[in-house]
Amino acid sequence: MPPPKSISIIGAGISGLTAAYHATRLFPGTAIHLFEQSDRLGGWIDSQRIDLGSHGSALVESGPRTLRPSGVGGALLLDLIDKLHLEKELLTSSKTSSAARNRYIYHPDNLNRLPSSLLAIPGALLRHKTLRSIPRAIWNDLTTPPQQQQHDEHDESVDSFFRRRFGDRIADDIASAVIHGIYAADSRQLSLRFAFPLLHKLEQRAGSVVRGAFRGVGVDAREKALEEDIRSAISPSLTHAMQNASIFAFKEGIAQLVTSLEGALQHSNVAIHTSTAVDRISRHKDAYTVHTQTGLAVESTHLISSVPLPALGMQGNVSESESYSDSVHHLHRPDVTVVTLVYPRTPLPINGFGYLIPRSTPAASNPHGALGVVIDSDAMPQQDPAPLTKLTVMLGGPHGLRTEDTAQLRQMAVDTVTRQLSAHLHSPIASTVCVQRACIPTYPPGHLSALQSLHHSLLSHHHGRLAVIGSPYTGIAVGDCVRSAWEVVQTLNSTGTATGLERFQNAV
């Protein structure tokens, strides 16, 4: 297909940056404009190194801190790293590391190590009373008939699924904690089919999650083939380096990916406009004009948005956005406070990735509404030149933002780790506090059907010239965002049109 004459990309987080990068490689003669309302690129990704004086320095992340190499999104991340020559900056944590094997939940007033394999279950049951519901949960899953899918729009919440298949204790004490850690959300408000499609497939195909996992019926042949095809083009040295990796990061944090993308776009056909908020977008025939608050107006034949469409102030013939599903454009996005506490090397009662806190943990044991604690110094110790104990406390989410005072938020985090982890953690040598407003969308039951409706609306109203990408639509992980951006450019290249939602139109 002939390349687009011009493209405007709204939002320069990881999704918009990746879309611009792939677009400049496939369409070197196309005028591409990338608009970002803030004065920096990268969106929620933000890494900084803080000086600790005699203790050296510490790397602090206020957004994503580690990445996963698995799945299509993971393969595309590695492909991006390969193309950007970032291999020498990689740090990995192996599948046998404590960060990979040791994960905990805090309930009701103590730390419970989750079993990392079937063989580890008996020992976990002996040590932790909270986990003694696991055998009954497995039996319940094996003996409970599947809920038959009556039509494509059938969906339920993550909480409903776990409660139905595994029982109340697993839903309240474990599943809710996992959702706190991934989405900073309430599991009762999150779509099972969209957030955990594998679990849905296992039940539908095998009648049981456990039975389906043993049979391997959740594997999607097309996804696996696509992943293998992407991996086949990655350099042998990078493939070897990631062979046993559970998670990975970079020496100077996830922001190195942003910096490398920005560098790759320099001296290309991409014009980057920072501190340039979009005021509105108008449409005339087959062209869109992006009007900014700085007075700049740019006309393009194609538009790619990584922000919710209503935020673009669409006017004229673009105002059909009110016909798109409200559930896509008005997703709940809780506030999350990220507090990083840095200490001289301090012994902890556990080692591993960290712990999560379920909603069933009594308020007396979790008075500040913490969602969990990441032990950064166990997950990626190589990022700091001297041995440190570095913890990140996540507050808020479904518990709400209880104060906006930075000093109070810091003290709430300190109180949390001294209460739940160790009394020796009362005096950090450094700390950072970052309130992330409306940062992670909660995809409600029915989100997949809403995406399918949006796909058809974009086709009928915009004929594939307006596409959407990124976390407001297709997934919150960095790998999800990178995949979304890659797909929309590939589709534009092969067909000349794209909505960014083609992958979901036939999903069940």
Side-chain angles (χ1 to χ4, degrees), residues 168-183:
D168 293 344
R169 292 273 54 84
I170 296 296
D172 290 331
D173 301 343
I174 297 179
S176 73
V178 172
I179 301 309
H180 282 172
I182 300 175
Y183 286 90

Side-chain angles (χ1 to χ4, degrees), residues 98-256:
S98 62
R101 292 183 293 106
N102 299 342
R103 293 165 188 260
Y104 299 79
I105 60 170
Y106 183 81
H107 179 273
D109 58 2
N110 63 287
L111 291 160
N112 304 261
R113 180 184 170 187
L114 295 172
S116 57
S117 67
L118 288 175
L119 294 177
I121 290 178
L125 302 185
L126 290 174
R127 289 190 301 271
H128 305 301
K129 183 178 179 180
T130 291
L131 304 182
R132 291 175 189 168
S133 57
I134 290 178
R136 178 176 294 180
I138 294 173
W139 176 253
N140 192 77
D141 175 64
L142 290 171
T143 57
T144 298
Q147 179 170 286
Q148 294 300 322
Q149 185 175 325
Q150 298 176 355
H151 49 78
D152 289 345
E153 295 184 358
H154 172 75
D155 196 3
E156 64 182 318
S157 70
V158 171
D159 179 81
S160 171
F161 179 86
F162 274 88
R163 200 170 297 280
R164 178 169 58 80
R165 295 224 59 85
F166 297 102
D168 293 344
R169 292 273 54 84
I170 296 296
D172 290 331
D173 301 343
I174 297 179
S176 73
V178 172
I179 301 309
H180 282 172
I182 300 175
Y183 286 90
D186 188 327
S187 60
R188 293 167 291 195
Q189 298 174 358
L190 185 67
S191 163
L192 186 280
R193 285 183 65 197
F194 191 81
F196 297 96
L198 175 61
L199 298 180
H200 173 75
K201 291 175 184 176
L202 291 174
E203 179 186 31
Q204 293 302 313
R205 295 175 182 177
S208 156
V209 173
V210 174
R211 192 180 299 118
F214 272 108
R215 294 178 182 174
V217 299
V219 176
D220 188 311
R222 288 177 298 180
E223 286 280 292
K224 193 65 179 175
L226 177 58
E227 179 183 351
E228 292 176 356
D229 184 56
I230 295 165
R231 291 186 186 277
S232 68
I234 297 172
S235 68
S237 62
L238 179 55
T239 299
H240 178 74
M242 300 301 298
Q243 195 168 13
N244 192 42
S246 168
I247 55 176
F248 66 94
F250 303 99
K251 294 175 183 177
E252 293 301 321
I254 306 302
Q256 280 195 263

Side-chain angles (χ1 to χ4, degrees), residues 16-37:
L17 279 170
T18 304
Y21 174 76
H22 287 299
T24 192
R25 290 172 62 88
L26 286 179
F27 312 130
T30 296
I32 302 171
H33 291 265
L34 178 61
F35 297 90
E36 171 56 42
Q37 67 176 355

Side-chain angles (χ1 to χ4, degrees), residues 436-454:
Q436 304 282 32
R437 296 282 190 176
C439 58
I440 305 175
T442 302
Y443 307 115
H447 183 68
L448 181 58
S449 297
L451 288 184
Q452 292 167 344
S453 297
L454 178 57

Side-chain angles (χ1 to χ4, degrees), residues 22 71-81 230 479 482-483 486-487:
H22 287 299
V72 174
L76 285 168
L77 264 173
L78 296 180
D79 177 67
L80 198 57
I81 289 165
I230 295 165
V482 166
R483 176 177 184 174
W486 175 81
E487 284 179 335

Side-chain angles (χ1 to χ4, degrees), residues 244-442:
N244 192 42
S246 168
I247 55 176
F248 66 94
F250 303 99
K251 294 175 183 177
E252 293 301 321
I254 306 302
Q256 280 195 263
L257 182 59
V258 172
T259 303
S260 295
L261 283 167
E262 182 180 6
L265 296 179
Q266 298 296 328
H267 311 296
S268 72
N269 56 317
V270 178
I272 301 176
H273 308 281
T274 54
S275 301
T276 308
V278 173
D279 183 53
R280 61 186 177 88
I281 295 176
S282 59
R283 178 184 176 189
H284 180 68
K285 295 183 178 179
D286 290 329
Y288 300 91
T289 301
V290 177
H291 305 269
T292 73
Q293 293 180 5
T294 62
L296 178 68
V298 175
E299 186 176 278
S300 301
T301 59
H302 291 74
L303 198 63
I304 299 174
S305 176
S306 66
V307 303
L309 293 180
L312 300 181
M314 290 186 157
Q315 295 185 1
N317 291 330
V318 190
S319 62
E320 304 94 346
S321 58
E322 69 264 11
S323 68
Y324 305 154
S325 174
D326 285 344
S327 65
V328 175
H329 296 317
H330 302 286
L331 299 178
H332 178 59
R333 293 175 173 83
D335 300 326
V336 179
T337 300
V338 180
V339 183
T340 299
L341 307 171
V342 184
Y343 303 84
R345 193 63 178 166
T346 305
L348 299 177
I350 62 172
N351 65 329
F353 193 82
Y355 64 92
L356 299 172
I357 307 171
R359 65 169 171 263
S360 54
T361 294
S365 299
N366 186 34
H368 304 300
L371 301 172
V373 176
V374 179
I375 308 175
D376 297 302
S377 45
D378 280 354
M380 282 293 156
Q382 314 98 306
Q383 288 179 327
D384 301 320
L388 299 168
T389 292
K390 187 170 62 177
L391 309 172
T392 294
V393 183
M394 299 171 290
L395 304 164
H399 300 301
L401 182 63
R402 300 186 177 182
T403 179
E404 297 187 27
D405 183 84
T406 298
Q408 290 183 34
L409 289 167
R410 175 190 179 277
Q411 190 57 48
M412 288 164 64
V414 172
D415 288 348
T416 296
V417 297
T418 53
R419 178 190 300 268
Q420 299 175 354
L421 199 53
S422 170
H424 299 293
L425 299 172
H426 52 79
S427 300
I429 55 176
S431 63
T432 60
V433 179
C434 182
V435 178
Q436 304 282 32
R437 296 282 190 176
C439 58
I440 305 175
T442 302

